[in-house]
Amino acid sequence: MRRHADSVESMEQLALVWRAMVLDRDPRADVRDLPGIAVRWADSRFAFWNCVTLTDVGADAGPTRQRLAEAAEVMRAKERPGFLWVFEDLLDEPARAGLDEAADAAGLAYAFPGTGMAADLPSLPEPSHPDLTFARVTDESRLRAYADLNSRAYGFPAEDGRDGLAGSTLWKREVHAYLGLRDDVPVTCAATVAAQGRLFVILVATDPAWERRGYGEAVTRKALYEGSRATGLTRATLHATAAGAPVYPRIGFEPNSPIRFYGLKG
């Protein structure tokens, strides 16, 4: 079943990449694979590093309600807030239809939508943009700029973004993270990281003051191009927000599973 295969790939990429990111943030982080649930929780101020996702394939309404309740219990035991990711196409039709009601009963509130996407990109031209130069994140100053762009783009306090990335050796050495600079000022960023034979696109962000100029697409192309050159990988996956979803098909990505993000009520 193609729908399930694409959605499983998307979910497994999340679990794999977030394992590395969360353990990079805190080697003592809660990283567990429970029946039907993957926990990837750093208890970081950067809420994206606090993640739970459902992993059952083809789950019907009854087991889905149980998993939602179990996931909510995991989240309630944590100090800092985070998100439950639900890949809708992993659920059967009745479970999808009743998802919000079941989440509400578990004490979860719908937060925002996303979309899993994937692409085969065997030939990537070297990217450019007339307004931008590109710089790889290799030192703490650039990593801080990368964190600050994500904070501005997603509405987090700057300290929260820095709490997620500051001091990371992984991001400075193994992640192909790039800033797009306009007149030497960072205005956009994107990264790729190798994960199980694929390049995973992660934490793409553009300063809200510089949106709708093609900057996010250009820096994403740069991260993909350099990641592919370094690793030889041509299959790529990502999870798009509603704002980013229109951008990635222009690069060659196709949507697979819709994603629903939930937080705890109140």
Side-chain angles (χ1 to χ4, degrees):
M1 297 175 66
R2 186 69 249 170
R3 175 172 63 82
H4 278 166
D6 290 341
S7 299
V8 167
E9 176 187 45
S10 196
M11 175 270 291
E12 288 181 344
Q13 285 276 286
L14 170 69
L16 183 66
V17 173
W18 253 243
R19 172 186 287 273
M21 296 298 157
V22 165
L23 290 175
D24 174 65
R25 172 60 183 78
D26 182 355
R28 300 164 300 174
D30 186 0
V31 174
R32 291 177 287 160
D33 293 302
L34 306 173
I37 299 172
V39 181
R40 306 289 186 265
W41 203 283
D43 242 355
S44 169
R45 291 180 59 173
F46 187 57
F48 286 134
W49 287 169
N50 304 332
C51 165
V52 180
T53 190
L54 305 189
T55 58
D56 288 326
V57 178
D60 61 26
T64 298
R65 284 194 296 270
Q66 178 182 343
R67 298 302 188 212
L68 290 169
E70 292 168 348
E73 283 303 307
V74 170
M75 297 167 73
R76 287 190 192 98
K78 304 305 180 185
E79 179 182 352
R80 299 193 182 277
F83 297 106
L84 167 67
W85 300 45
V86 179
F87 293 82
E88 294 183 39
D89 284 351
L90 293 183
L91 311 178
D92 72 6
E93 190 63 42
R96 288 199 303 277
L99 182 56
D100 280 343
E101 181 180 354
D104 181 72
L108 296 162
Y110 175 70
F112 53 89
T115 307
M117 294 188 177
D120 291 299
L121 304 168
S123 179
L124 291 167
E126 184 167 6
S128 64
H129 191 288
D131 296 351
L132 301 178
T133 57
F134 300 112
R136 186 170 180 183
V137 172
T138 55
D139 60 33
E140 198 63 24
S141 174
R142 288 178 179 173
L143 185 58
R144 185 168 56 250
Y146 198 107
D148 289 351
L149 280 167
N150 271 268
S151 294
R152 290 197 291 276
Y154 293 109
F156 297 144
E159 293 79 6
D160 290 7
R162 294 180 183 184
D163 188 62
L165 295 181
S168 171
T169 300
L170 177 74
W171 273 80
K172 288 179 282 193
R173 293 185 182 176
E174 296 183 37
V175 178
H176 302 277
Y178 283 84
L179 298 171
L181 308 175
R182 180 185 169 111
D183 299 327
D184 294 324
V185 176
V187 295
T188 191
C189 61
T192 57
V193 62
Q196 206 169 41
R198 297 158 179 81
L199 286 173
F200 186 88
V201 180
I202 187 168
L203 296 188
V204 178
T206 298
D207 188 316
W210 296 104
E211 291 178 336
R212 303 186 186 284
R213 291 171 169 83
Y215 293 173
E217 178 180 346
V219 75
T220 301
R221 288 181 179 274
K222 177 66 173 177
L224 284 163
Y225 175 79
E226 297 294 348
S228 183
R229 277 211 315 166
T231 65
L233 299 174
T234 58
R235 177 74 171 171
T237 62
L238 59 82
H239 301 124
T241 62
V247 172
Y248 302 115
R250 297 199 291 267
I251 301 174
F253 285 86
E254 295 182 358
N256 44 63
S257 181
I259 306 167
R260 295 180 76 80
F261 291 80
Y262 295 90
L264 290 174
K265 288 183 186 178

